[in-house]
């Protein structure tokens, strides 16, 4: 095992977002690539955003995806949240309870690198509003910076409410080297005296992230690039403590199809939604790996093991990565195509049942035939009921597509439908023999052939002139259903 230690450090405020999974994945791939350690730490010091059950949901989604955690917070064999590792606890609220942050904040205060601030929230807001109105960058005006430490301590002892703020030096450049974006510099005059300890006594993210990354010996911080503007604060804190900062790798933003940030706030893009739509973990992971990273070849289909072999930050892009759902479907489709017919039947079953088209009594053989019939067109399991619904629905519920409706009104169609019904009357059931020969028979008897034969029959039976192997469809639907359907077409078109 190498000494590379990376971490995924989510703040669980609901479900795992696809952007979060991409971050977790890139951490994981790098850990595996370097034979390092993948750590999961929970950053829950913002108690106002606490959501019950969010942690379990997050870990379950991660577990489903195949991104494995070596150390920190994880699920045990029974699916219960547990922690493993020698740098724990790995949940920040537990670290607060254990008093871990106290000595660090005291050290900064004693060394005049942080100060007590007694300004009320109203005052802070007012100052900011005024600055905004004056066209300035809003930040704390430093009123409490110069309160002598002894006096501040006395006020704290008297029970006055306070926060602790970072005391940034004036007009100093703070630089760091980002592995992807290169050298980045901020001037402290453009930065805020960041709150490190909040009024409720909890550390802020900025303070806890530095203390913990250092305590947990994190070597590489891999996260979304929305954190770049926070990084100089972190870098300054490392310097203030006299610690070495980790290497920074900021990943390109995940953009939606309108090239805007694919954000949690719109409520979409949760990993759970993709599970519910019937994507495979392999497909989703493969797709996410290409969101900001590209391999050294034209190849685009990779298992997670193969990705781990090839992945490095050198091939991570600087600019935003667009989440293209069609591409996701295309990638996922590869994994659907790879399944055996039996596996596919098994996987589409819950989706067919949920849509109400079939119930548990539906014969396994038919489900397999359905899977075989649609395997080349299903990109995600929820496609199966969408594609096949017309075989099951009542005639009155079917959507006959435009082209089919047109074809069904033609004179040829009536002739063909009658001929088909006649042949059906002579048969006991639609078996393979019937299904494979009926089109030839109709051609012989009516003299109609090619498109003029196939389109009307397909339209009458399935509601569309296009579709998969028609003989399979006939077998699936069976004599009774097709008879019903053809009679309906005769009467209604
Ligand atoms: N807790 C932060 C988040 O919710 C983590 C940022 C970081 O990785 O430093 O994304």
């Amino acid at each position: 095992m190498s000494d590379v230690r990376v971490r995924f450090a989510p703040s669980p405020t609901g479900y795992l977002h696809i952007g979060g999974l991409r971050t977790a994945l890139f951490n994981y791939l790098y850990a595996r690539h370097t034979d390092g350690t993948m750590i999961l730490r929970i950053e829950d010091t913002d108690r106002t955003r606490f959501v019950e059950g969010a942690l379990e949901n997050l870990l379950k989604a991660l577990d489903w995806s195949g991104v494995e955690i070596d150390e920190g917070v994880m699920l045990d064999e029974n699916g219960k949240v547990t922690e493993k590792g020698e740098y724990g606890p790995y949940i920040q609220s537990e670290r607060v309870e254990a008093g871990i942050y106290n000595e660090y904040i005291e050290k900064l205060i004693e060394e005049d690198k942080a100060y007590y601030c007694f300004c009320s929230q109203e005052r802070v807001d007012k100052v900011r509003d005024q600055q905004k109105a004056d066209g300035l960058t809003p930040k704390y005006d430093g009123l409490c910076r110069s309160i002598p430490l002894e006096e501040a301590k006395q006020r704290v002892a008297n029970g006055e409410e306070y926060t602790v703020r970072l005391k940034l030096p004036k007009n100093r450049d703070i630089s760091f080297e980002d592995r992807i974006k290169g050298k980045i510099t901020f001037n402290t005059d453009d930065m805020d005296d960041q709150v490190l300890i909040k009024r409720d006594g909890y550390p802020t993210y900025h303070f806890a992230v530095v203390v913990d990354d250092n305590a947990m010996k994190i070597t590489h911080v891999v996260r979304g690039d929305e954190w770049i503007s926070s990084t100089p604060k972190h870098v300054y804190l490392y310097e203030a403590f006299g610690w070495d900062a980790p290497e920074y790798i900021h990943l390109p933003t995940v953009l939606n199809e309108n090239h805007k940030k694919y954000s949690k706030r719109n409520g979409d893009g949760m990993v759970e939604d993709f599970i519910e739509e019937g994507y495979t973990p392999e497909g989703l992971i493969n797709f996410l790996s290409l969101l900001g990273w590209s391999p050294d070849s034209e190849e685009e289909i990779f298992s997670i093991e193969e990705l781990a072999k090839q992945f490095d930050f050198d091939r991570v892009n600087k600019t935003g990565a667009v989440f293209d759902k069609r591409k996701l479907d295309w990638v996922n489709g590869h994994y659907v195509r790879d399944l055996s017919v039996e596996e596919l039947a098994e996987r589409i079953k819950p989706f067919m049942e949920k849509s109400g088209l079939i119930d548990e009594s539906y014969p396994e053989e038919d489900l397999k035939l359905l899977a075989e019939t649609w395997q080349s067109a299903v990109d995600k399991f929820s496609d199966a009921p969408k594609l096949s619904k017309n075989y099951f629905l009542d005639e009155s519920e079917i959507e006959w597509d435009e082209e089919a409706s047109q074809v069904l009104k033609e004179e040829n169609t009536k002739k063909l439908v009658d001929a088909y019904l006649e042949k059906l009357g002579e048969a006991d059931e639609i078996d393979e023999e019937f299904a494979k020969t009926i089109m030839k028979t109709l051609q012989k008897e009516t003299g109609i052939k090619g498109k003029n034969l196939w389109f009307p029959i397909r339209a009458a039976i399935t509601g569309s002139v296009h579709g998969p192997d028609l003989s399979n469809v006939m077998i699936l639907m069976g004599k009774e259903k097709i008879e019903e359907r053809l009679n309906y077409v005769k009467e209604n078109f």
Side-chain angles (χ1 to χ4, degrees):
M1 182 147 282
S2 74
D3 60 6
V4 168
R5 290 172 59 82
V6 292
R7 87 301 193 274
F8 177 47
S11 305
T13 54
Y15 293 91
L16 179 58
H17 189 258
I18 208 77
L21 181 56
R22 198 274 311 257
T23 299
L25 175 65
F26 281 25
N27 272 284
Y28 172 80
L29 293 178
Y30 191 64
R32 288 293 172 271
H33 184 72
T34 55
D35 195 23
T37 306
M38 168 75 176
I39 296 151
L40 191 133
R41 180 176 69 230
I42 295 298
E43 306 205 319
D44 59 347
T45 60
D46 190 350
R47 303 309 277 174
T48 55
R49 292 167 67 198
F50 182 78
V51 179
E52 193 67 42
L55 177 53
E56 284 81 355
N57 288 335
L58 187 139
L59 292 175
K60 273 189 203 142
L62 211 54
D63 194 50
W64 171 86
S65 77
V67 167
E68 297 163 325
I69 307 302
D70 302 320
E71 183 183 316
V73 186
M74 58 187 86
L75 293 177
D76 67 13
E77 316 83 69
N78 304 317
K80 292 256 162 312
V81 179
T82 185
E83 294 182 48
K84 190 181 107 185
E86 53 183 301
Y87 300 96
Y90 293 88
I91 298 179
Q92 284 182 336
S93 57
E94 291 174 4
R95 297 174 71 76
V96 172
E97 298 302 315
I100 287 174
Y101 303 102
N102 300 345
E103 62 170 301
Y104 296 105
I105 200 65
E106 274 156 28
K107 185 170 150 70
L108 290 182
I109 293 170
E110 289 307 319
E111 293 177 3
D112 200 26
K113 290 168 182 160
Y115 59 94
Y116 292 102
C117 172
F118 301 96
C119 293
S120 65
Q121 192 59 50
E122 281 117 64
R123 177 174 188 276
V124 172
D125 292 343
K126 223 161 139 193
V127 169
R128 288 175 162 266
D129 289 346
Q130 188 56 51
Q131 287 163 332
K132 272 192 224 157
D134 295 345
L136 301 167
T137 317
K139 57 182 204 166
Y140 179 61
D141 62 355
L143 182 70
C144 295
R145 267 175 83 109
S146 50
I147 300 174
L149 183 55
E150 284 318 306
E151 184 187 324
K153 279 185 176 164
Q154 194 51 55
R155 289 173 68 172
V156 170
N158 292 346
E160 237 182 280
E161 270 205 351
Y162 67 92
T163 58
V164 179
R165 287 180 183 274
L166 181 61
K167 196 173 210 171
L168 281 174
K170 295 279 176 221
N171 188 21
R172 234 198 73 188
D173 279 344
I174 299 193
S175 300
F176 62 95
E177 195 64 36
D178 184 273
R179 177 90 160 249
I180 293 165
K181 322 252 176 192
K183 184 170 175 177
I184 297 176
T185 304
F186 284 79
N187 188 284
T188 51
D189 284 356
D190 301 320
M191 291 161 59
D192 207 354
D193 275 359
Q194 180 63 49
V195 172
L196 303 178
I197 301 290
K198 292 176 280 187
R199 252 171 264 280
D200 61 7
Y202 267 67
T204 54
Y205 154 72
H206 300 285
F207 184 54
V209 78
V210 168
V211 170
D212 290 350
D213 280 342
N214 178 70
M216 295 175 187
K217 300 200 164 35
I218 300 302
T219 56
H220 299 73
V221 166
V222 184
R223 61 187 173 195
D225 60 8
E226 68 270 28
W227 297 102
I228 286 187
S229 60
S230 302
T231 307
K233 298 175 192 171
H234 305 170
V235 170
Y236 179 74
L237 274 169
Y238 278 98
E239 185 192 306
F241 280 121
W243 299 334
D244 287 334
E247 195 172 333
Y248 287 102
I249 298 106
H250 286 99
L251 306 175
T253 317
V254 179
L255 304 171
N256 64 22
E257 275 150 30
N258 304 322
H259 291 240
K260 297 258 156 49
K261 187 171 183 230
Y262 195 157
S263 136
K264 277 195 218 191
R265 292 183 215 287
N266 303 331
D268 56 5
M270 298 302 164
V271 174
E272 283 77 2
D273 299 338
F274 293 90
I275 301 177
E276 223 160 87
E277 269 195 75
Y279 288 95
T280 61
E282 295 83 5
L284 188 61
I285 285 296
N286 188 157
F287 168 75
L288 288 181
S289 75
L290 302 172
L291 269 189
W293 172 80
S294 57
D296 200 5
S297 66
E298 296 292 300
E299 186 61 53
E300 295 202 276
I301 302 300
F302 298 101
S303 67
I304 200 164
E305 293 80 17
E306 190 53 40
L307 285 168
K309 253 185 234 152
Q310 296 202 19
F311 183 85
D312 207 339
F313 297 125
D314 301 345
R315 299 193 62 86
V316 173
N317 307 333
K318 282 194 177 60
T319 50
V322 177
F323 189 103
D324 175 355
K325 196 130 189 244
R326 274 162 313 180
K327 173 113 185 231
L328 168 61
D329 282 5
W330 177 82
V331 171
N332 199 70
H334 280 262
Y335 293 90
V336 174
R337 245 65 84 212
D338 268 358
L339 298 173
S340 67
V341 169
E342 287 73 20
E343 282 169 328
L344 181 58
E346 212 32 59
R347 305 290 283 272
I348 60 175
K349 194 175 176 195
F351 291 86
M352 294 296 295
E353 286 182 359
K354 199 170 150 210
S355 65
L357 297 176
I358 66 170
D359 59 25
E360 325 78 70
S361 69
Y362 192 69
E364 208 174 298
E365 279 314 302
D366 288 357
L367 200 60
K368 272 196 231 157
L369 186 59
L370 186 75
E372 186 193 312
T373 307
W374 280 109
Q375 184 150 27
S376 61
V378 167
D379 286 330
K380 51 189 180 297
F381 303 127
S382 62
D383 289 343
K386 281 199 199 107
L387 292 167
S388 65
K389 65 173 189 296
N390 281 0
Y391 309 164
F392 301 90
L393 291 177
D394 218 53
E395 280 59 45
S396 58
E397 298 167 332
I398 291 183
E399 294 164 27
W400 308 83
D401 73 25
E402 187 82 24
E403 237 179 314
S405 307
Q406 223 42 50
V407 167
L408 290 179
K409 285 186 199 119
E410 288 168 12
E411 208 39 54
N412 261 353
T413 305
K414 300 210 174 3
K415 221 161 134 189
L416 286 166
V417 165
D418 280 337
Y420 196 124
L421 280 170
E422 198 186 313
K423 290 290 149 208
L424 258 191
E426 294 163 13
D428 294 335
E429 53 164 351
I430 296 187
D431 55 10
E432 228 183 299
E433 165 74 19
F434 181 95
K436 290 255 186 298
T437 54
I438 179 71
M439 297 308 279
K440 266 235 166 69
T441 313
L442 293 181
Q443 182 182 327
K444 239 188 256 158
E445 298 209 347
T446 61
I448 303 169
K449 56 186 179 197
K451 215 170 112 172
N452 294 335
L453 165 70
W454 286 88
F455 275 23
I457 295 294
R458 218 184 246 291
I461 294 179
T462 70
S464 168
V465 296
H466 306 288
D469 187 293
L470 193 54
S471 55
N472 277 5
V473 176
M474 291 179 198
I475 297 171
L476 273 170
M477 288 175 66
K479 179 174 170 182
E480 210 177 303
K481 187 79 186 153
I482 293 194
E483 215 158 33
E484 232 175 76
R485 183 86 31 113
L486 295 181
N487 280 319
Y488 179 88
V489 165
K490 258 179 83 167
E491 279 161 32
N492 291 277
F493 287 91

